[in-house]
Structure formats: structure tokens, C-alpha cells
Amino acid sequence: MCAARERHPTFKASFAERASNASHPLSNYLLRLMELKKSNLCLSADVNNARELLQIADRIGPSIVILKTHYDLVAGWDYHPQTGTGAKLGALARKHGFLIFEDRKFGDIGSTVQMQYTAGTARIIDWAHIVNVNMVPGKAAVVALQEAAARWRSRVNYEVKTSVSVGTPTSDSFDENDEDRPAPPPAPKDSIPPPSSLRGEHNGRKGSIVSITTLTQSFEPVDSPRFSNAIAEGDELVYAGIEEPPWERGLLILAQMSSEGNFMNKEYTDACVQAARECKGFVMGFISQETLNTEPTDAFLSMTPGCQLPPEGDEEEGGPMGDGLGQQYNTPAKLVGVCGSDIIIVGRGILQAASPQVEAERYRRRAWKAYLNRIGQST
């Protein structure tokens, strides 16, 4: 990990400087959000019920810039597009200022990943700002997700407007020549008169239309980037100091892993980087153990899991720790300050703490300090 290489300019650049040069709208937004909140922390909210997920998002939201989810782990996930779990997470994201990252790790043929992303029960694209892809199927999966996101983006800020009008028609609605029409031929003597005649309703008068109901539907633009399916109680709460996120969606490529014995070798990682460069209008960066920016025009973000702090009061030193299940942990000082990662991803280190809120702040402070040291600013 952290192979010796010449430092890329993004290693020493501040997040604010990188935001000004970011071509991806969501990367630009995220970098500015990180500067505003002084946070480069992502919470991996790996919990197994919806109520706990929403509670954690509300409590830890002030400390983070990204909330990472696994919706398929969550019992009781409500799929309703307006009032369900995704919409509620969106309201909390606006309230506390963070993005939602669904850790789906798409890894199938193009047509399948497109449907997994935009359709099905979860409709991930509607509520998750960021998703990721496993590049094992090849670059085609990245291209397919990019196309699906572009189609969704082209129509997402339009909504169907339905109007209903009810009224009495004017005289223009009738045929002016009604009076001149010839009378119908007389009915045979043995025919049965129509029911209305038996009731004596006509009495020589013409029938009339009392009212007409007209139903029309049209697509009209929605100017606000706010989710159109947001729940009402979250709409009025928007994090101060920054606008709402853009409509554009972003992709992270799973380029390296922190688990022991994984098969993501250098050839695989290099293929991930090449795919990102070819799809940089959609790819924001990588899930990786280090920065993967090497060419002068590279401006990708690196997010790193496997981060853990020693107990309060202990120094951040020593080699990687583990959980006995293959996961290897490094400290924020190592990942951010040495390896050049931009955002640390922390799960159990926060969730299993005696006070998750307090521990989240400890991780936020340590990761931010490591970033400031990296760019040469004092804390």
C-alpha cells in the first residue's frame, strides 16, 4: 500500500483549490462541502433496520460529508418514493449537509447494472448521489451506468403537471346548423318508445349538455434541484452556507480493497484508472488505499475504508490492525497524511463506540488534522 511515487499536485492542494478545478459537478460540490464542514469523514452505516439507520444519520450527520449505506442489509426499508427510507435519508442529508453513497458494488453486464441502478424496488438513482462499481466485468459496466445516469438526468427535473377543468360549454361548442337538420323519420306504430319518452322528459325540448370535464397532462421543468419526491418535513431544513447538491450523479470505481488476500492486483487497478479517465464526466474517483492520481489532468477523489483509531490517549503508530475476518485497519494519519486519501470511511469504529457521536467527532478531527498537515497548514 502507498507505493513510492512522485507526489501528484492534488496531494498538496487544498480541497478549495481542487474544487475550483473540478469538472464533475458533484465533486465540486463535495470538495466545497468538505471545506465548509471541516470534515473528510464518511460514515459506513452498516446497520440492519431502517429506524436505526435514520437515527444514526440524524445523530452523526453533523460530523460527516458522506453517509454510506447498504440498503439490502436494512430490514424494514420503505420503498415508497415520496415517504420511504430513501426520501427520509434525503431530508436528513439536506438538513445536516452530507451526500448519500449506496455501496452497491455493481458487477454485472451492462443491461443488468442499468436496471439495478434505475429500476426495481429501490430505484437507487433517485436517492443516492453516489454509487460504486466492481470493474471485474470490465469497462462496459462503467459505460452502462454512465448512460443510465445521463438518461435519468435528462428528465429528472421535469414533472408531470395534471390539470382538470370543469365548465359549461358555450354556444360555440354546438353545431350552428342543429336547427336546420331534418327531423328523424317517424317510428313505426308498433315500435316501443325510448324510456325517456315514457317518462315525458322531452316534452318537445332538445337535450342539453350541463358540463364538460377536461383532463390534460404535460411535462414542465422543475427549477429547484431539491428532490421532487422529498418528504415535506425535511424540505424546509437545508444546511446553511452551501446550496443543495446538483442533480448529477457520481460513480466511484472499486480499485483497491483493504481486505487481506484480495485479488485486485496492479493490472486491475490500472484498468480502473483508465476507465475513470475515459468516463470522467461521471466517475468522481475511487475506493482505494491511496491516491491514484498520476497524470497531470487527473483530479479524482480517493475514499478509503479500513480506518480505525487507537483508544483515546494512545498514539497513532504501529502497523495495520485487523478484525480477525480479513479486514485490515490503518489510522487517519497514515491514510490521509501519507497515502494521500481524501476521505476516510469508518463504520464499526464509530457505531460500536460507547458514544457514537463523540467518537465521530474524534475521527473527524483526526482526519482533518491529517489533511491540514498534508497540505502544510497548521491546525
Side-chain angles (χ1 to χ4, degrees), residues 116-193:
Q116 290 172 327
Y117 189 25
T118 64
T121 53
R123 291 189 60 85
I124 294 170
I125 197 170
D126 286 346
W127 52 269
H129 305 92
I130 304 168
V131 293
N132 60 351
V133 64
N134 186 326
M135 272 276 291
V136 170
K139 188 180 69 176
V142 176
V143 175
L145 290 168
Q146 178 176 242
E147 291 174 354
R151 287 196 300 268
W152 178 86
R153 175 63 182 87
S154 69
R155 61 178 182 265
V156 70
N157 60 335
Y158 285 81
E159 64 182 18
V160 177
K161 294 289 187 181
T162 303
S163 61
V164 179
S165 61
V166 179
T168 302
T170 63
S171 59
D172 294 339
S173 304
F174 300 102
D175 192 336
E176 295 179 354
N177 298 320
D178 276 355
E179 298 291 343
D180 300 329
R181 287 180 180 169
K189 291 182 179 180
D190 56 349
S191 66
I192 301 175

Side-chain angles (χ1 to χ4, degrees), residues 81-84 87-89 91 94 227 229-236:
Q82 280 79 40
T83 59
K88 290 177 180 177
L89 283 175
R94 289 191 300 277
F227 289 120
N229 59 355
I231 57 175
E233 58 264 33
D235 268 354
E236 71 279 5

Side-chain angles (χ1 to χ4, degrees), residues 169-328:
T170 63
S171 59
D172 294 339
S173 304
F174 300 102
D175 192 336
E176 295 179 354
N177 298 320
D178 276 355
E179 298 291 343
D180 300 329
R181 287 180 180 169
K189 291 182 179 180
D190 56 349
S191 66
I192 301 175
S196 58
S197 297
L198 294 174
R199 292 195 299 269
E201 292 180 358
H202 282 295
N203 297 325
R205 294 176 298 177
K206 291 198 309 180
S208 62
I209 300 175
V210 177
S211 65
I212 292 178
T213 301
T214 304
L215 177 68
T216 60
Q217 288 186 322
S218 62
F219 286 92
E220 295 186 10
V222 178
D223 294 328
S224 172
R226 179 176 291 125
F227 289 120
S228 60
N229 59 355
I231 57 175
E233 58 264 33
D235 268 354
E236 71 279 5
L237 299 174
V238 179
Y239 191 76
I242 194 168
E243 76 281 7
E244 294 184 56
W247 281 109
E248 281 75 13
R249 293 308 193 225
L251 181 72
L252 300 171
I253 298 179
L254 184 60
Q256 296 172 330
M257 291 189 72
S258 55
S259 57
E260 186 178 8
N262 71 80
F263 295 106
M264 294 182 177
N265 56 23
K266 183 179 184 302
E267 289 73 23
Y268 170 85
T269 301
D270 289 345
C272 292
V273 175
Q274 186 58 37
R277 288 171 181 155
E278 294 176 15
C279 301
K280 60 184 178 181
F282 181 48
V283 177
M284 299 172 64
F286 309 98
I287 302 294
S288 61
Q289 293 295 296
E290 58 188 329
T291 178
L292 297 179
N293 292 331
T294 55
E295 291 190 357
T297 57
D298 287 347
F300 299 111
L301 291 162
S302 292
M303 295 177 55
T304 305
C307 181
Q308 192 172 78
L309 282 171
E312 185 71 53
D314 291 357
E315 295 296 326
E316 294 186 35
E317 57 186 19
M321 301 164 283
D323 66 352
L325 297 174
Q327 178 65 296
Q328 299 182 95

Side-chain angles (χ1 to χ4, degrees), residues 290-368:
E290 58 188 329
T291 178
L292 297 179
N293 292 331
T294 55
E295 291 190 357
T297 57
D298 287 347
F300 299 111
L301 291 162
S302 292
M303 295 177 55
T304 305
C307 181
Q308 192 172 78
L309 282 171
E312 185 71 53
D314 291 357
E315 295 296 326
E316 294 186 35
E317 57 186 19
M321 301 164 283
D323 66 352
L325 297 174
Q327 178 65 296
Q328 299 182 95
Y329 295 109
N330 278 286
T331 64
K334 174 73 177 297
L335 295 176
V336 177
V338 178
C339 298
S341 176
D342 299 308
I343 298 172
I344 59 168
I345 302 173
V346 184
R348 285 171 286 180
I350 292 174
L351 298 178
Q352 295 178 0
S355 174
Q357 289 171 277
V358 172
E359 193 69 357
E361 270 298 291
R362 187 165 81 101
Y363 273 92
R364 183 197 65 79
R365 290 193 303 269
R366 294 291 187 91
W368 193 253

